[in-house]
């Protein structure tokens, strides 16, 4: 395994309430020096696969500013400072789908464009759901869409299901359930 490049200098270029863009001056083991930029997020995020039963996943449809349209996907949210992954997952499904989970299990950790984005998403399977609606920070009510995992192939044909993390999490869940 190669040695990681040595960070010679780090400078914050831009900072918002959600992200920070950093410039890194690096020296690789072969002596080459170069400059990278990276987007640094908060502590990370949770993406929850809430199962009402072994075949019914609860999806949500909410406005996505990045695509400027309503998108279908899984509930998700930032991990607040000091929060544990599973506690953050349970909080998010209570806020977004109106259920808590009696059993939570982390299935995977996903990255997005790791060459530029320092953000991790923790995929959490939520089972043994019970009704529990908590107030969240959403500006409008989120539509909850139950969908059979056995019809995942049809779900992939939906024009408004485009988020790669949600798609990956659904396949990871189906694979996990098939091996139980």
């Amino acid at each position: 395994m190669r040695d990681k490049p040595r960070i010679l200098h780090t400078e914050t270029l831009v900072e918002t309430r959600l992200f920070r863009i950093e410039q890194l001056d690096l020296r690789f083991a072969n002596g080459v020096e170069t400059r990278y930029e990276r987007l640094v997020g908060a502590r990370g995020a949770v993406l929850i696969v809430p199962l009402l039963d072994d075949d019914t996943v609860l999806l949500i449809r909410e406005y996505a500013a990045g695509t400027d349209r309503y998108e279908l996907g899984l509930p998700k949210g930032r991990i607040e400072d000091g929060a544990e992954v599973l506690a953050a997952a349970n909080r998010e499904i209570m806020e977004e789908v109106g259920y808590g989970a009696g059993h939570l299990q982390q299935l995977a950790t996903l990255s997005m464009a790791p060459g530029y984005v320092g953000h991790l998403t923790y995929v959490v399977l939520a089972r043994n759901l019970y009704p529990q609606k908590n107030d969240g920070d959403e500006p409008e009510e989120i539509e909850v869409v139950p969908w059979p995992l056995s019809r995942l192939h049809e779900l992939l044909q939906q024009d408004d299901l485009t988020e790669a993390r949600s798609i990956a999490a659904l396949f990871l869940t189906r694979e996990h359930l098939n091996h139980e």
Side-chain angles (χ1 to χ4, degrees), residues 28 32 108 115 124 150 153 159:
F28 284 79
V32 173
V124 175
S150 58
H153 61 285
D159 290 338

Side-chain angles (χ1 to χ4, degrees), residues 5-128:
R6 184 169 161 226
I7 298 174
L8 304 173
H9 178 74
T10 303
E11 180 181 342
T12 297
L13 301 176
V14 176
E15 190 163 4
T16 73
R17 68 181 180 87
L18 296 177
F19 302 104
R20 182 175 71 248
I21 298 176
E22 290 181 343
Q23 177 178 288
L24 303 172
D25 293 329
L26 302 170
R27 180 180 299 127
F28 284 79
N30 63 4
V32 173
E33 292 187 11
T34 191
R35 179 170 283 163
Y36 277 59
E37 291 177 358
R38 68 181 176 190
L39 182 67
V40 180
R43 179 148 183 267
V46 289
L47 182 85
I48 308 97
V49 184
L51 290 180
L52 201 52
D53 57 48
D54 283 343
D55 190 47
T56 307
V57 63
L58 298 177
L59 302 169
I60 60 170
R61 184 175 285 116
E62 66 180 333
Y63 179 74
T67 57
D68 188 30
R69 67 183 195 164
Y70 284 86
E71 293 276 342
L72 187 61
L74 291 167
K76 62 198 141 309
R78 287 187 316 181
I79 300 172
E80 303 296 335
D81 288 339
E84 296 296 322
V85 169
L86 298 182
N90 212 24
R91 175 184 49 80
E92 286 296 332
I93 61 171
M94 288 177 189
E95 293 174 1
E96 295 188 3
V97 298
Y99 284 91
H103 180 74
L104 295 156
Q105 177 183 2
Q106 185 177 327
L107 292 183
T109 304
L110 304 175
S111 64
M112 304 177 302
Y116 301 100
V117 181
H119 178 83
L120 296 176
T121 300
Y122 301 90
V123 177
V124 175
L125 179 60
R127 296 169 112 172
N128 301 334

